[in-house]
């Protein structure tokens, strides 16, 4: 620390740093952002000096209250308002009635990727601006993951089962304390990387640890360091604060580069020699090579670029999934045991596995209605992202919303308060209660046959639309529209197996009260340090 501060003993350096700090504070205080004229703000008292800056800072601790106020005052009445986000970039919050208008806009008018680029400091945080500037990895995932995920089920199950056996144990006598979030941060990256890089790398702890550290580096760079750095200083500060990002990337590249080089060589050899016998692994690396080759994207066929693409994918996949399933576990085990949620999931899993001869398959998992509902309901009630379907306005002239008569300038962020939509009693009766089988109950009541032989097609479609992977204008944890998360097809299978394996193989001590979530800035985070007590069920271990 002393070494870091030593340069400040030089008066020239000290004065320069002091001037920069003063300038940063001054520019922050005087900040005003071009916003649609005539659209009301929440939390801003225009009669006060530095009104926008005060609202921006105050928003950090008032997100829940202000979103609630905005929802009642404006969103519910079909009106747009402006939310002064702590990032210093106020957001235009549209009502639910304008969601279709937003989704109908092409990407060159309202852009998802530009929004991610700004919010995640794409110039610096991912080691190369090209990664988020041209998100080819998203294109690959959209094209391949939904079609290929079914074949991955046995591999995913292997990762889930092994992770449980290793970390929750196989001792049927002793109870064990499990720190839920930390434990899931071990299980989830392993399953995700089975899909991205396959065996054996998905089990390499050094690789996984550096991947997780990289994700934390991105969060630190984008939400702390660069968020408050004036634009003109970013080229310097951006390079300095992302040194850990480059370091952790290089630690992962030590493993991924040789693997990718070998894979590229095998693809080439197969192309040149039709007799070359080689079973192409079904993972992201193969998908990118296959797609980039067919689209002649030579820039996406270098080992370096493929290896770097794994970073934003791990970033998109690991924390989102871990936060989701952490919430879900606490939601389920904090419910009154007499509601029978754990038993209900256990009965469903056991029954379907027997029907399917003990095989875990995509078709079988599609019949796990209760498990599916338990996860979806948790994503509804304990959503960690409070705003969603955020887009950036691209045209120089801004974008006009004719229905409401406002124009948002270029660069504005436009999105929806998903938290209050998902907690609206007119949409979800008793919205604050975690009702695990909220979505499966109607399916089971309307369909008494085990194999789903339902007569009324329209009714069935309505019921199907309440499955975990279905986004809608009342369920946004995976976004909605053409940029809805393509990873959800993987997540739904992975998390259903995880929950099912857990309840089939472990006893879990119920919690009398749900350890509370914490609103931190714009996120609603699950308890990170809370623990549960578990014990292996009798008769579930191999002799
Ligand atoms: C529970 C876990 C996850 C949640 C809650 C989640 C949520 C989201 C959300 C909200 C979006 C933005 C949609 C929008 O802007 O409208 C998104 C985009 C995306 N997610 Fe996920 N995600 C999860 C897991 C994953 C996984 C496992 C992957 C796999 C690699 C993944 C890959 C992506 C990609 C590539 C995009 C960008 C799609 C696009 O812009 O076209 N996600 N995700």
């Amino acid at each position: 620390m002393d070494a870091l501060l030593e340069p400040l003993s030089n008066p020239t350096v000290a004065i320069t740093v002091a001037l920069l700090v003063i300038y940063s504070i001054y520019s922050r205080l005087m900040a005003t952002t071009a916003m649609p004229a005539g659209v009301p703000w929440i939390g801003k008292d225009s009669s006060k000096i530095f009104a926008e800056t005060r609202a921006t800072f105050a928003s950090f601790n008032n997100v829940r209250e202000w979103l609630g106020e905005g929802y009642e005052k404006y969103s519910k009445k079909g009106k747009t308002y402006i939310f002064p986000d702590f990032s210093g970039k106020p957001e235009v919050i549209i009502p639910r009635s304008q969601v279709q208008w937003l989704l109908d806009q092409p990407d060159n008018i309202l852009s998802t990727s530009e929004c991610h680029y700004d919010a995640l400091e794409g110039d610096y945080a991912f080691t190369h601006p090209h990664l988020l500037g041209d998100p080819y990895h998203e294109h690959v995932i959209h094209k391949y993951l939904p079609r290929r995920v079914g074949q991955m089920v046995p591999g995913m199950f292997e990762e889930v089962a092994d992770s449980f056996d290793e970390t929750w144990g196989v001792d049927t006598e002793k109870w064990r304390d499990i720190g839920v979030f930390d434990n899931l941060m071990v299980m989830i990256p392993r399953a995700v990387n089975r899909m991205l890089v396959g065996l054996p790398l998905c089990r390499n702890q050094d690789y996984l640890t550096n991947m997780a550290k990289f994700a934390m580096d991105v969060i630190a760079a984008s939400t702390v360091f660069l968020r408050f750095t004036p634009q003109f200083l970013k080229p310097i500060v951006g390079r300095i604060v992302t040194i850990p990002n480059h370091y952790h990337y290089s630690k992962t590249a030590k493993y991924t580069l040789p693997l990718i080089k070998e894979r590229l060589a095998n693809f080439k050899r197969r192309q040149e020699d039709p007799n070359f016998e080689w079973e192409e692994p079904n993972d992201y690396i193969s998908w990118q090579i296959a797609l980039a080759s067919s689209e002649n994207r030579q820039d996406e066929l270098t080992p370096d670029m493929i290896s770097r693409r794994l970073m934003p994918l791990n970033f998109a996949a690991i924390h989102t999934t871990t936060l989701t399933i952490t919430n879900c576990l606490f939601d389920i085990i904090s419910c009154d045991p007499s509601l029978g949620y754990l038993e209900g999931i256990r009965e469903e899993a056991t029954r379907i596995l027997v029907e399917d001869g003990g095989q875990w398959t995509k078709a079988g998992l599609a019949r796990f209605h209760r498990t599916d509902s338990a996860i979806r309901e948790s994503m509804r009630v304990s959503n960690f992202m409070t705003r969603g379907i955020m887009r950036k306005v691209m045209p120089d002239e801004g974008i006009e919303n004719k229905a409401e008569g406002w124009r948002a300038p270029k660069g504005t962020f436009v999105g929806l308060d998903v938290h209050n939509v998902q907690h609206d009693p007119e949409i979800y009766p008793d919205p604050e209660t975690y009702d695990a089988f909220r979505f499966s109950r109607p399916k089971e009541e309307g369909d008494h046959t085990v194999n789903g032989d339902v007569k009324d097609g329209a009714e069935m479609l309505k019921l199907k639309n309440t499955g975990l992977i279905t986004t809608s204008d009342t369920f946004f944890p995976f976004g909605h529209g053409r940029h809805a998360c393509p990873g959800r097809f993987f997540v739904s299978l992975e998390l259903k197996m995880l929950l099912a394996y857990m309840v089939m193989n472990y006893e879990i001590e119920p919690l009398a009260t749900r350890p509370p979530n914490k609103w931190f800035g714009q996120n609603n985070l699950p308890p990170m340090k809370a623990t549960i007590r578990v014990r292996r069920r009798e008769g579930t271990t191999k002799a």
Side-chain angles (χ1 to χ4, degrees):
M1 193 65 192
D2 287 350
L4 275 177
L5 294 177
E6 206 182 298
L8 292 178
S9 59
N10 176 326
T12 315
V13 176
I15 289 169
T16 311
V17 170
L19 286 175
L20 287 174
V21 170
I22 291 165
Y23 177 80
S24 300
I25 296 170
Y26 174 79
S27 56
R28 186 79 192 192
L29 283 173
M30 300 310 288
T32 52
T33 321
M35 278 284 130
V39 175
W41 287 66
I42 276 290
K44 177 177 155 186
D45 181 349
S46 299
S47 66
K48 293 197 170 138
I49 185 168
F50 307 135
E52 193 174 317
T53 307
R54 293 164 84 126
T56 298
F57 282 116
S59 75
F60 191 82
N61 287 324
N62 289 295
V63 172
R64 186 176 200 169
E65 190 191 330
W66 288 359
L67 283 180
E69 199 182 320
Y71 194 72
E72 287 305 317
K73 247 171 136 171
Y74 304 114
S75 305
K76 273 194 115 163
K77 296 178 182 147
K79 292 197 162 76
T80 293
Y81 71 94
I82 298 166
F83 188 90
D85 188 61
F86 185 65
S87 64
K89 208 165 167 43
E91 293 164 357
V92 174
I93 303 291
I94 55 164
R96 197 162 68 91
S97 51
Q98 293 299 315
V99 165
Q100 199 51 51
W101 165 81
L102 180 140
L103 298 179
D104 284 346
Q105 307 303 319
D107 292 356
N108 62 344
I109 304 287
L110 284 182
S111 170
T112 309
S113 59
E114 288 287 336
C115 189
H116 294 164
Y117 193 94
D118 283 10
L120 296 172
E121 300 290 348
D123 279 338
Y124 307 101
F126 285 88
T127 73
H128 198 301
H130 178 67
L131 289 166
L132 294 199
D134 175 7
Y136 195 71
H137 52 279
E138 296 182 359
H139 175 52
V140 177
I141 290 283
H142 273 294
K143 279 259 177 200
Y144 275 81
L145 187 96
R147 289 193 280 129
R148 293 291 186 87
V149 74
Q151 301 159 32
M152 293 182 155
V153 167
M156 266 192 250
F157 178 70
E158 229 173 79
E159 298 313 321
V160 167
D162 285 2
S163 299
F164 266 114
D165 294 355
E166 280 170 24
T167 60
W168 286 35
V170 290
D171 188 339
T172 54
E173 304 272 309
K174 280 204 204 87
W175 287 88
R176 184 183 275 218
D177 288 314
I178 300 287
V180 176
F181 179 79
D182 288 343
N183 175 250
L184 289 164
M185 273 302 288
V186 173
M187 289 195 198
I188 298 296
R190 196 171 143 168
V192 164
N193 278 281
R194 179 81 183 236
M195 177 257 290
L196 295 175
V197 298
L199 276 174
L201 189 51
C202 71
R203 294 183 188 169
N204 180 317
Q205 205 43 58
D206 189 42
Y207 165 76
L208 295 176
T209 304
N210 282 292
M211 232 1 139
K213 283 188 178 162
F214 178 87
M216 290 313 293
D217 297 338
V218 171
I219 294 170
S222 59
T223 61
V224 184
F225 301 128
L226 291 170
R227 190 61 60 94
F228 304 104
T229 303
Q231 200 56 38
F232 75 97
L233 282 179
K234 280 192 179 176
I236 302 167
V237 180
R239 283 182 177 83
I240 296 170
V241 299
T242 56
I243 289 171
N245 308 42
H246 288 268
Y247 175 71
H248 292 126
Y249 164 66
S250 71
K251 299 276 276 184
T252 67
K254 189 173 80 184
Y255 300 105
T256 52
L257 285 175
L259 172 66
I260 296 165
K261 281 179 189 158
E262 188 191 332
R263 193 74 62 84
L264 281 163
N266 282 332
F267 265 83
K268 190 159 179 268
R269 214 174 137 195
R270 190 179 57 185
Q271 215 176 19
E272 290 164 356
D273 174 7
N275 297 323
F276 173 51
E277 280 189 21
W278 173 61
E279 194 179 335
E280 178 188 316
N282 180 31
D283 61 21
Y284 176 81
I285 297 177
S286 292
W287 304 342
Q288 174 154 346
I289 296 173
L291 192 62
S293 304
S294 73
E295 294 179 342
N296 197 19
R297 284 289 304 260
Q298 296 304 322
D299 56 331
E300 294 295 342
L301 279 169
T302 66
D304 180 64
M305 190 47 75
I306 300 171
S307 155
R308 285 180 199 272
R309 292 274 175 212
L310 293 167
M311 312 307 283
L313 285 172
N314 268 280
F315 180 80
I318 293 177
H319 284 84
T320 47
T321 312
T322 307
L323 293 171
T324 298
I325 190 64
T326 302
N327 268 324
C328 185
L329 289 200
F330 283 119
D331 283 335
I332 294 181
I333 62 173
S334 308
C335 286
D336 180 347
S338 71
L339 292 167
Y341 292 150
L342 290 179
E343 288 73 20
I345 295 172
R346 187 178 299 137
E347 187 281 326
E348 174 176 83
T350 314
R351 168 169 42 83
I352 294 173
L353 269 182
V354 169
E355 285 167 16
D356 290 1
Q359 298 299 311
W360 293 88
T361 63
K362 186 175 169 223
L365 286 163
R367 310 205 304 280
F368 278 52
H369 298 309
R370 292 177 199 159
T371 321
D372 191 282
S373 171
I375 302 166
R376 182 177 164 104
E377 171 68 346
S378 175
M379 294 183 86
R380 178 195 72 77
V381 76
S382 305
N383 56 302
F384 63 87
M385 278 181 276
T386 55
R387 276 94 90 194
I389 53 169
M390 202 56 78
R391 308 286 188 257
K392 181 177 166 183
V393 177
M394 299 306 293
D396 289 341
E397 69 280 13
I399 183 171
E400 187 182 4
N401 179 292
K402 291 205 171 89
E404 280 198 72
W406 49 258
R407 178 178 288 279
K410 179 180 179 162
T412 316
F413 279 10
V414 184
L416 182 81
D417 162 11
V418 302
H419 176 83
N420 283 295
V421 169
Q422 293 182 179
H423 291 77
D424 186 333
E426 286 172 25
I427 301 171
Y428 295 103
D430 196 8
E432 300 303 328
T433 299
Y434 173 73
D435 174 6
F437 299 153
R438 184 188 289 268
F439 302 109
S440 56
R441 210 173 290 118
K443 286 179 193 164
E444 295 202 275
E445 281 164 6
D447 170 10
H448 296 290
T449 63
V450 172
N451 288 321
D453 183 18
V454 176
K455 286 111 202 158
D456 184 342
E459 199 50 33
M460 189 56 195
L461 190 65
K462 226 165 76 192
L463 294 179
K464 245 181 133 176
N465 285 344
T466 56
L468 179 53
I469 54 172
T470 307
T471 66
S472 73
D473 70 350
T474 53
F475 183 75
F476 292 95
F478 292 115
H480 190 31
R482 66 188 175 284
H483 288 292
C485 174
R488 69 192 191 280
F489 301 100
F490 174 84
V491 169
S492 100
L493 302 173
E494 175 196 23
L495 295 189
K496 280 194 249 182
M497 279 190 279
L498 191 149
L499 265 195
Y501 190 85
M502 182 186 88
V503 297
M504 287 168 79
N505 292 286
Y506 293 92
E507 291 174 70
I508 305 166
E509 258 184 22
L511 297 173
T513 48
R514 163 79 153 83
N517 279 21
K518 194 174 167 51
W519 282 66
F520 188 77
Q522 54 171 280
N523 295 309
N524 171 20
L525 299 174
M528 305 286 196
K529 292 289 161 211
T531 58
I532 55 173
R533 276 166 64 75
V534 304
R535 183 170 67 178
R536 188 80 181 202
R537 295 178 73 215
E538 289 285 350
T540 60
T541 50
K542 293 175 202 114

